[in-house]
């Protein structure tokens, strides 16, 4: 199906992220006849979903830990070994350079990609730049964890960390573990922990059975369109019941305690809005707790590229079914990259796929990636394969909506915070100081709050506490600053983007900055034009 | 009691371990090739190796390079995310602190 073209006329598509969406985008772009540069910060493709064991483990049965291994294994070989694909592992995008308007008219195309290759955070990595005809952003998401007292103790992990350690290097994070938070992701994490030999004491879903059931049983025919996902979840449920792990709904970890590390957690029953039911607290001895309250899309690259963001999923108050509940200010926690039917973002030549356009899981990410890669490569919009892809993408989006409805973040969660609860882990800013800063009228500008409390100014640059601080700011009625472009006009769709604005997307060392970067075309690790 | 590495002979993936040794604050610590520094430190029974501004201990939180809680110094390179860096035989790892009294440098 690939049109015949001379090498010069081939479009060059850069794909950032080699998880389900990125790998699929690379495959589709290659199928459409483009040259592809696939970039990922890990040594191997797969992303968080298909997290692979290190090659040094010389595992003979890696498929034992993987869902859909065969299809993934075939796809990664097809892409990485393709003569028109350049694979850049252990490579991070640290900056996207937007052309100034005049250059943009002249050169066209997406922002210039600045890359750094080599061992994570090492000195003397090599820097290069990449100018492609189209850019597909498929950078994924990370766990969103709401703060609770003691969450900064060692032994409190994100669910994603437990999963990465168990699947990616065979380390079980503890012997007695509680998995808590919200969403179906808690199930594979518990299953991985069990497989690695941990004792999982309980899986706690914060949402009540009514909320979960209402979300999942709404329009059941949509669920039938996701047989893979449904079967996968059923498998985890079987693993849990085989190990007699209780799955409790309407219960959450509201505190972690211990001397220098977590020794026990306090769980409590929650109402539909996640307010704690007094007197239902229960203490459990643990040596690890794994928490996830959903996912935060990694928006720094889309924001750096200038992509418009917006809400794709309904807000918690729309979901919880309490029409009387006060509607919280629109929060950046449910913002995603806006894309059209061809996965185009608002920026010419920039496409987005996977979790950054809405949390929908691997099958939807694959479908979106394929559409993005095909469109980015200039593939015919009338292709028959595209129609199938669009259908499965739309089914994926319906699934995402269901997920959001069944597992919303209840708006009363700050009720379990205490004044001394750490909100910003890096700077140890506590909830009391943050509230004081937010209610101080003179200082309620988000920048002033940030400088006064230091929340979001630490090494993680607000990646962890950003959504929480933004949500609390919204509730205290803080001003919503408009992001303005270079001419001072408010940028449409970017009003909420401030928490993701990081000019440096990944840490880069001063020594590395001093060395001038090589354009990738001159120094490709592997010849991309055979 | 602690995080641990699934033993190779019990590992469903049939992996083959090749040992390596690093030092952590001068103390030799054994691991296997392919482990991240975070995985190696956890499996060696360490759950914390960094101090926050108040002196509170920190170890791994996000495990995928987002939270920067697990920073260590590796062969004199500061601020290396232990969850993202593979251990290499002979690595000299020193722990870091953001507590002003112990360490004037900020990470």
């Amino acid at each position: 199906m690939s049109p015949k073209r001379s090498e010069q006329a081939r479009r060059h598509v850069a794909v950032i992220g080699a998880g389900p969406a990125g790998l699929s985008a690379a495959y589709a772009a290659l199928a459409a006849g483009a040259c592809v540069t696939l970039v990922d910060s890990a040594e191997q493709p797969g992303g968080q979903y298909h997290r692979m064991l290190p090659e040094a483990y010389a595992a003979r049965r890696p498929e034992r830990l993987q869902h859909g291994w065969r299809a993934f294994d075939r796809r990664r070989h097809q892409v990485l070994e393709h003569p028109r694909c350049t694979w850049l592992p252990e490579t991070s995008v640290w900056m996207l350079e937007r052309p100034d308007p005049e250059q943009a008219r002249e050169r066209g195309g997406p922002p210039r990609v600045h890359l750094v290759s080599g061992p994570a955070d090492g000195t003397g990595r090599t820097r290069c730049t990449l100018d492609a005809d189209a850019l597909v952003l498929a950078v994924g998401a990370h766990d969103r964890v709401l703060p609770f007292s003691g969450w900064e103790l060692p032994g409190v992990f994100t669910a994603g960390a437990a999963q990465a350690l168990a699947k990616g290097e065979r380390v079980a994070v503890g012997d007695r573990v509680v998995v808590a938070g919200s969403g179906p992701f808690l199930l594979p994490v518990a299953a991985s922990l069990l497989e690695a030999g941990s004792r999982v004491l309980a899986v706690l879903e914060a949402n009540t059975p009514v909320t979960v059931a209402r979300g999942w049983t709404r329009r059941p025919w949509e669920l039938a369109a996701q047989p893979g996902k449904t079967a996968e979840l059923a498998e985890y449920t079987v693993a849990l019941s085989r190990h007699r792990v209780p799955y409790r709904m309407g219960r959450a970890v509201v505190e972690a305690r211990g001397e220098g590390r977590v020794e026990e957690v306090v769980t409590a029953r929650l109402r539909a809005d996640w307010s704690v039911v007094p007197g239902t607290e229960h203490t459990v001895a643990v040596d690890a707790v794994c928490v996830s309250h959903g996912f935060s899309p990694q928006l720094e690259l889309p924001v750096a590229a200038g992509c418009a963001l917006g809400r794709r999923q309904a807000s918690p108050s729309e979901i919880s079914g309490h029409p009387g509940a006060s509607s919280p200010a629109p929060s950046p926690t449910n913002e995603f990259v806006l894309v059209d039917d061809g996965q185009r973002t608002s920026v010419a030549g920039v496409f987005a796929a996977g979790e950054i356009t809405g949390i929908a899981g691997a099958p939807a990410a694959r479908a979106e990636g394929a559409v993005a890669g095909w469109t980015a490569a200039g593939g015919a919009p009338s292709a028959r394969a595209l129609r199938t892809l669009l259908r499965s993408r739309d089914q994926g989006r319906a699934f995402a909506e269901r997920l959001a409805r069944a597992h919303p973040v209840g708006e009363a969660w700050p009720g379990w915070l205490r004044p001394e609860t750490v909100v910003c882990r890096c700077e140890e800013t506590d909830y009391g100081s943050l509230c004081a800063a937010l209610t101080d009228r003179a200082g309620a500008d988000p920048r002033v709050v940030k400088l006064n409390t230091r929340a979001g100014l630490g090494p993680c640059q607000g990646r962890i506490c950003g959504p929480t601080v933004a949500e609390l700011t919204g509730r205290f009625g803080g001003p919503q600053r408009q992001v303005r472009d270079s001419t001072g006009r408010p940028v449409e769709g970017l009003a909420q983007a401030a928490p993701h604005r990081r000019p440096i997307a990944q840490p880069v060392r001063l020594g590395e900055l001093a060395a001038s970067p090589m354009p990738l075309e001159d120094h490709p690790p592997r010849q991309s034009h055979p | 009691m602690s995080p641990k590495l699934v033993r190779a002979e019990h590992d469903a993936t049939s992996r083959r371990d090749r040992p390596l040794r690093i030092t952590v604050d001068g103390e030799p610590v054994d691991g296997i090739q392919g482990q991240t520094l975070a995985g190696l430190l956890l499996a060696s029974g360490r759950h914390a190796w960094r101090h926050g501004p108040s002196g509170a201990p920190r170890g791994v939180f996000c495990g995928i390079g987002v939270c920067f809680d697990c920073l260590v110094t590796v062969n004199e390179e500061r601020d290396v995310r232990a969850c993202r860096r593979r251990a290499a035989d002979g690595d000299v790892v020193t722990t870091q602190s953001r507590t002003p009294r112990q360490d004037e440098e900020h990470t």
Side-chain angles (χ1 to χ4, degrees):
Chain A
M1 57 189 184
S2 81
K4 288 230 183 305
R5 289 183 205 162
S6 72
E7 287 297 319
Q8 278 73 24
R10 281 192 194 280
R11 276 174 74 79
H12 179 191
V13 177
V15 180
I16 313 302
L23 205 55
S24 184
Y27 179 79
L30 289 165
C35 290
V36 169
T37 303
L38 179 62
V39 176
D40 199 282
S41 57
E43 296 101 326
Q44 298 181 84
Q48 302 305 333
Y49 185 79
H50 291 292
R51 180 173 277 271
M52 292 172 68
L53 289 167
E55 268 174 22
Y57 274 28
R60 276 175 290 140
R61 312 285 311 271
E63 74 281 2
R64 296 291 287 269
L65 304 179
Q66 294 277 349
H67 225 277
W69 167 263
R70 226 178 314 161
F72 163 68
D73 194 42
R74 193 172 56 233
R75 183 53 48 91
R76 85 183 156 112
H77 285 293
Q78 284 166 334
V79 170
L80 267 49
E81 289 156 19
H82 196 286
R84 274 184 277 115
C85 179
T86 301
W87 161 233
L88 302 179
E90 281 196 295
T91 301
S92 301
V93 177
W94 67 273
M95 185 170 72
L96 290 178
E97 186 187 343
R98 284 150 82 174
D100 62 49
E102 219 161 279
Q103 269 182 314
R105 266 197 299 278
E106 210 174 277
R107 185 168 76 86
R112 170 171 291 173
V113 184
H114 287 261
L115 300 165
V116 57
S117 292
D121 303 329
T123 45
R125 290 175 294 180
T126 49
R127 258 178 73 200
C128 57
T129 56
L130 178 57
D131 289 304
D133 300 310
L135 184 59
V136 179
L137 300 174
V139 292
H142 58 80
D143 294 88
R144 181 179 182 208
V145 178
L146 300 173
F148 51 90
S149 287
W151 73 312
E152 71 282 13
L153 284 171
V156 179
F157 297 90
T158 68
Q163 176 81 326
L165 285 159
K167 259 174 87 172
E169 46 184 313
R170 311 303 286 137
V171 168
V173 293
D175 288 336
R176 291 173 56 84
V177 190
V178 166
V179 179
S182 184
F185 181 54
L186 303 179
L187 299 175
V189 171
S192 290
L193 283 164
L194 291 167
E195 195 280 333
S198 297
R199 194 168 152 215
V200 179
L201 303 177
V203 177
L204 307 180
E205 161 65 51
N207 282 295
T208 62
V210 173
T211 309
V212 173
R214 197 156 47 200
W216 281 99
T217 54
R218 209 173 137 268
R219 296 205 290 255
W221 58 90
E222 285 173 2
L223 209 55
Q226 293 274 319
K229 209 72 208 166
T230 314
E232 186 186 339
L233 290 174
E235 241 173 74
Y236 302 136
T237 313
V238 168
L240 254 59
S241 61
R242 198 171 53 234
H243 288 88
R244 298 176 191 282
V245 178
Y247 179 75
R248 298 217 165 87
M249 288 184 266
R251 206 162 182 94
V253 167
V254 294
E255 184 180 354
R257 297 175 183 154
E259 275 300 312
R261 63 173 300 185
V262 64
E263 288 162 349
E264 59 182 35
V265 290
V266 179
T267 73
R269 196 143 68 83
L270 300 187
R271 300 188 187 94
D273 64 354
W274 291 23
S275 55
V276 174
V277 180
T280 60
E281 291 86 354
H282 183 61
T283 304
V284 191
V286 298
D287 60 1
V289 54
C290 306
V291 192
S292 170
H293 296 101
F295 291 94
S296 296
Q298 311 227 58
L299 293 177
E300 48 269 87
L301 290 182
V303 167
C307 302
L309 308 181
R311 282 161 38 146
R312 238 212 27 217
Q313 296 173 347
S315 77
S317 64
E318 289 162 26
I319 297 158
S320 61
H322 297 297
S326 65
S327 176
S331 98
T333 53
N334 48 19
E335 276 200 320
F336 297 94
V337 180
L338 292 175
V339 287
D340 72 2
D341 226 31
Q343 300 297 129
R344 293 175 195 87
T345 70
S346 63
V347 178
V350 180
F351 299 74
E355 308 291 52
I356 56 173
T357 74
I359 306 301
R366 276 193 288 268
E368 285 200 355
V371 174
W374 181 263
T375 324
S382 56
R384 228 165 84 216
L386 192 63
R387 282 210 297 277
T388 318
L389 287 171
L390 287 170
R391 195 165 54 238
S392 88
R393 180 197 61 187
D394 293 343
Q395 286 164 354
R397 287 184 176 171
F399 183 78
E401 201 184 309
R402 174 187 300 278
L403 212 61
R405 283 179 187 277
H407 302 279
V409 171
E411 60 184 83
W413 68 266
W416 69 55
L417 301 179
R418 291 201 291 257
E420 67 277 15
T421 304
V422 166
V423 172
C424 167
R425 300 170 61 89
C426 295
E427 296 299 319
E428 297 172 339
T429 309
D430 62 37
Y431 182 53
S433 323
L434 196 63
C435 289
L438 289 171
T439 44
D440 173 5
R441 286 187 63 85
D445 181 277
R447 272 175 308 183
V448 178
V449 169
K450 198 169 173 178
L451 287 172
N452 285 349
T453 65
R454 296 198 56 78
L457 285 178
C460 96
Q461 290 288 290
R463 285 177 176 89
I464 302 294
C465 72
T468 298
V469 173
E471 189 178 332
L472 295 173
T473 307
R475 289 187 194 201
F476 282 95
Q480 301 293 342
R481 273 193 315 128
Q482 282 276 334
V483 176
R484 289 168 193 282
D485 66 15
S486 53
T487 61
R489 279 175 308 158
V491 177
E492 200 59 41
L494 271 181
Q496 305 298 322
H500 311 289
R501 287 188 75 78
R502 292 177 198 101
I504 307 289
Q506 280 293 313
V508 59
R509 291 179 188 276
L510 287 176
E512 290 168 340
L513 279 180
S516 58
M518 295 291 179
L520 188 66
E521 280 71 24
D522 298 343
H523 288 266
R526 185 150 72 84
Q527 209 55 45
S528 58
H529 303 276
Chain B
M1 307 301 272
S2 271
K4 58 176 184 293
L5 182 68
V6 176
R7 293 164 61 129
E9 59 271 32
H10 297 153
D11 195 329
T13 69
S14 304
R15 63 169 213 266
R16 266 179 320 221
D17 289 358
R18 283 177 292 156
L20 59 77
R21 177 169 285 185
I22 66 170
T23 64
V24 180
D25 292 332
E27 207 180 298
V29 180
D30 292 322
I32 58 171
Q33 287 186 29
Q35 275 181 306
T36 62
L37 287 170
L40 193 159
L41 288 167
L42 285 172
S44 77
R46 288 162 174 79
H47 41 261
W49 48 83
R50 181 168 162 266
H51 294 278
S54 69
R58 296 296 174 84
V60 174
F61 178 62
C62 82
I64 58 170
V66 180
C67 77
F68 293 73
D69 254 6
C70 67
L71 298 180
V72 288
T73 298
V74 186
N75 306 326
E76 296 183 349
E77 292 172 7
R78 280 186 68 87
D79 302 342
V80 174
R81 284 169 285 179
C83 68
R84 293 275 324 276
R85 175 66 75 88
R86 301 279 168 203
D89 196 35
D91 272 348
V92 176
V93 173
T94 47
T95 55
Q96 292 186 192
S97 175
R98 295 190 75 209
T99 316
R101 271 170 289 115
Q102 289 180 12
D103 188 340
E104 288 303 315
E105 277 180 85
H106 280 247
T107 60

